[in-house]
Amino acid sequence: MPIAFVETMRGTLRDERGVESRVDFHVRASGGARGHFELSGVVHAGPWTEETTAHGTLVISALPASIAYDVRFRADDGRALRLHGAKRPSLLAPVRSMTVLDVALSDEASRALAHGTMRFDLMELPAFLASWLPLPTRPHRQLDARRVAVARRELL
Amino acid sequence: MTALNPLKHLFAAEPPDNAVRYAQRPGHVESYFLRANHPTRPLALWLKATVLAPLRGTAVAEAWFIFFDGEKGTTFAHRQTEPFSSASFLGAGDLDLDVRAAGLSLSLGERGTAKGTFTAPHGAASVDLSWTMDPSPIARPLSIYPWRLLRTGPFPKSKLLTPCPSLRFSGRVQLPGGAVTLTDWTGMQGHNWGKEHAFEYAWGQCLFPAQDVMVEGFSGRVRIAGRTTPRISALVVRQGARTFAFDTLFDPWRQEAEVTLDRWALTLRSGDGEALLEMDASGRPMVCLGYGNPNGEPSYCFNSKLAKVRLTVRPADGASFTCESPQGGALEFLRREVDPRFPHVV
């Protein structure tokens, strides 16, 4: 049975000039077969895009333990960009290793545009856990509405 | 009965928004204020009527007037004071209130008038205004405090309401340099009261008529048992009939406030989404007002009505929207220290 959950990660990116920008993504991960999830949602990425739809993958590996994010979106100037990074779950620092994600922003030619850190807000843990339920819970409904609204605006 | 007194705040009917809270007892300060901005030019007006009942001494009524001219980079500001016994604050229920205080007459309500004369050493000014309430849903009475107990109970010691968040003004202001005609100026009416002013705050309000959006919020510190709290922030955004509330108050993990001498930046998150507000009065006309507290300690309000504003809201269930106003933001900072940039305190 496919698994689905909704996750939000927030943080900052620093580009090559040292300028910091806020970044966040709100995605649904669905699938789960062999640890592979498809991502769909919305991303806000500072000067590259105020808000746009995003898709990508999330891959969970056991050995070595890692949760790898690859969030892809189109910047306002038309470039296809990737926001990618991996969590390294560790029993020595379980909370930090599961909530902190070091990321890089790259373009189509895999040139690094910025690096940064994103975090999962533990205050949103209840909503995150609720989103794992096999029901159309509020986090799913809200993300759907958000994604549709953003996609519609992009079409217009 | 004494033990039941704290419960009165829960069970007593909440007074109308513009009802006078002053019960003729020492230790109270209460204000009714209006602000109006030109729809396209950097011109703005601010009027206020205040009751100050010190813990020791006679209660006074005060009238305040500021005209901000961003084109000339000037302000005209004055305060007049008279014994409270010479003033009157008479409510007729709901939003209606008639105020006569130190040369200023206000008839508050959805439709209202303001008339007054201010005679300062540096010149005289007069005002003759009328207003109507904006028909949009954003003009509904507003309370940033999310819970009734915060408005009626003993904490915090300073309260605020916005009985009329969106008004349309017309009329005339006479200044030493000439007359200004107001036609369809936009603004609001607020009501503050309490046992003292907050220890420190940044407060802001702005209307974005083209997008039918209103925002009001604050970041402030209060004193509890002699200690100052961390900064607490709240924001309410209205977009047409929809309200986005970021008013959890005691949720420091979802609030980031940056307050400098002229600028206030706020990021808040709630179940409604995320809001990012920037209000900047750098280089804009600003006045330093000397506020008295009932305990005799002074506070200083740095008041601008021409701040630049940028608001972005990312709804939890919709597309984000951004509103900008080049000079329509009402932005005030309250501090306990004077600022050497302002040698003159009104």
Side-chain angles (χ1 to χ4, degrees):
Chain A
M1 181 178 172
I3 300 166
F5 61 90
V6 173
E7 186 176 17
T8 295
M9 296 289 290
R10 295 186 180 83
T12 53
L13 289 172
R14 186 187 293 269
D15 68 15
E16 57 198 8
R17 293 170 298 153
V19 177
E20 269 196 4
S21 311
R22 299 168 60 95
V23 61
D24 54 72
F25 61 74
H26 316 270
V27 293
R28 172 186 292 115
S30 52
R34 296 181 185 174
H36 188 279
F37 294 82
E38 294 294 322
L39 297 178
S40 67
V42 172
V43 67
H44 305 100
W48 297 279
T49 180
E50 170 63 32
E51 180 176 63
T52 190
T53 53
H55 65 280
T57 58
L58 184 150
V59 178
I60 299 177
S61 306
L63 289 172
S66 82
I67 305 172
Y69 294 74
D70 187 356
V71 177
R72 296 171 185 254
F73 59 95
R74 198 157 289 278
D76 292 344
D77 61 9
R79 287 184 294 171
L81 300 183
R82 288 177 65 212
L83 188 63
H84 52 104
K87 296 176 186 171
R88 311 280 178 200
S90 165
L91 289 172
L92 296 175
V95 174
R96 189 189 187 283
S97 64
M98 289 296 289
T99 60
V100 177
L101 175 66
D102 291 324
V103 293
L105 181 69
S106 308
D107 64 11
E108 292 156 301
S110 297
R111 272 190 301 259
L113 303 175
H115 292 88
T117 304
M118 303 182 77
R119 287 178 168 77
F120 174 82
D121 182 354
L122 284 171
M123 297 296 287
E124 293 177 350
L125 186 58
F128 170 75
L129 293 174
S131 74
W132 283 78
L133 294 171
L135 298 166
T137 55
R138 190 161 178 248
H140 287 281
R141 294 199 308 271
Q142 282 186 332
L143 181 61
D144 282 339
R146 193 173 201 170
R147 190 166 175 281
V148 165
V150 173
R152 186 166 167 238
R153 188 174 63 188
E154 288 175 342
L155 279 174
L156 294 172
Chain B
M1 287 304 290
T2 305
L4 291 173
N5 277 346
L7 300 179
K8 71 180 179 188
H9 303 298
L10 290 174
F11 298 111
E14 196 167 353
D17 285 4
N18 269 338
V20 179
R21 270 48 170 190
Y22 177 44
Q24 313 269 342
R25 287 199 287 266
H28 185 87
V29 59
E30 187 160 0
S31 298
Y32 297 87
F33 68 93
L34 294 153
R35 70 109 175 170
N37 280 63
H38 190 288
T40 57
R41 293 167 63 191
L43 304 171
L45 172 69
W46 180 78
L47 297 168
K48 188 166 85 159
T50 299
V51 177
L52 174 61
L55 288 169
R56 290 188 185 82
T58 311
V60 296
E62 297 177 307
W64 311 69
F65 172 100
I66 309 177
F67 190 84
F68 300 85
D69 189 329
E71 291 171 344
K72 295 177 185 164
T74 60
T75 58
F76 181 94
H78 188 56
R79 166 174 47 159
Q80 298 178 158
T81 305
E82 69 179 8
F84 180 75
S85 56
S86 302
S88 70
F89 289 72
L90 295 174
D94 203 19
L95 296 178
D96 296 334
L97 181 75
D98 283 330
V99 175
R100 306 279 182 272
L104 178 63
S105 295
L106 304 175
S107 287
L108 301 177
E110 292 186 7
R111 290 176 174 272
T113 60
K115 289 185 170 67
T117 304
F118 296 82
T119 306
H122 48 286
S126 65
V127 61
D128 186 352
L129 299 182
S130 62
W131 64 81
T132 57
M133 186 177 270
D134 182 352
S136 163
I138 69 171
R140 299 186 316 275
L142 170 69
S143 169
I144 297 182
Y145 288 168
W147 310 307
R148 172 203 158 108
L149 204 55
L150 293 174
R151 298 188 295 272
T152 61
F155 178 82
K157 290 183 182 173
S158 59
K159 319 286 191 188
L160 75 163
L161 280 174
T162 310
C164 301
S166 184
L167 298 171
R168 295 287 180 268
F169 291 83
S170 55
R172 183 183 167 89
V173 172
Q174 183 68 47
L175 298 164
V180 178
T181 299
L182 282 69
T183 306
D184 253 0
W185 285 33
T186 58
M188 47 86 67
Q189 183 246 308
H191 180 199
N192 304 339
W193 72 95
K195 292 186 177 173
E196 62 184 27
H197 293 290
F199 178 74
E200 175 193 291
Y201 64 66
W203 170 88
Q205 201 256 13
C206 192
L207 299 166
F208 307 93
Q211 290 159 289
D212 201 20
V213 170
M214 179 232 65
V215 61
E216 183 172 348
F218 67 82
S219 293
R221 298 182 208 266
V222 295
R223 275 201 296 220
I224 302 176
R227 289 179 173 268
T228 309
T229 65
R231 206 169 267 137
I232 301 167
S233 301
L235 197 75
V236 174
V237 179
R238 285 183 178 160
Q239 183 190 38
R242 186 163 181 190
T243 297
F244 300 91
F246 305 90
D247 57 5
T248 314
L249 294 179
F250 307 107
D251 186 358
W253 300 273
R254 298 193 191 187
Q255 305 182 3
E256 289 172 37
E258 184 188 332
V259 180
T260 66
L261 290 175
D262 298 324
R263 187 177 164 272
W264 176 44
L266 186 58
T267 302
L268 290 171
R269 286 192 277 123
S270 75
D272 287 350
E274 186 175 27
L276 300 89
L277 176 70
E278 279 184 61
M279 298 189 75
D280 191 348
S282 308
R284 312 283 168 115
M286 184 179 272
V287 174
C288 177
L289 307 169
Y291 284 178
N293 281 289
N295 63 4
E297 291 179 9
S299 292
Y300 301 94
C301 176
F302 301 90
N303 187 331
S304 174
K305 294 294 170 280
L306 297 175
K308 184 168 108 172
V309 184
R310 181 181 165 90
L311 169 71
T312 296
V313 178
R314 295 173 180 166
D317 59 359
S320 66
F321 59 92
T322 296
C323 304
E324 291 182 325
S325 174
Q327 65 233 353
L331 177 59
E332 296 178 14
F333 301 93
L334 190 79
R335 303 192 177 102
R336 292 297 170 117
E337 308 88 31
V338 292
D339 184 331
R341 296 178 302 160
F342 298 88
H344 177 60
V345 176
V346 178

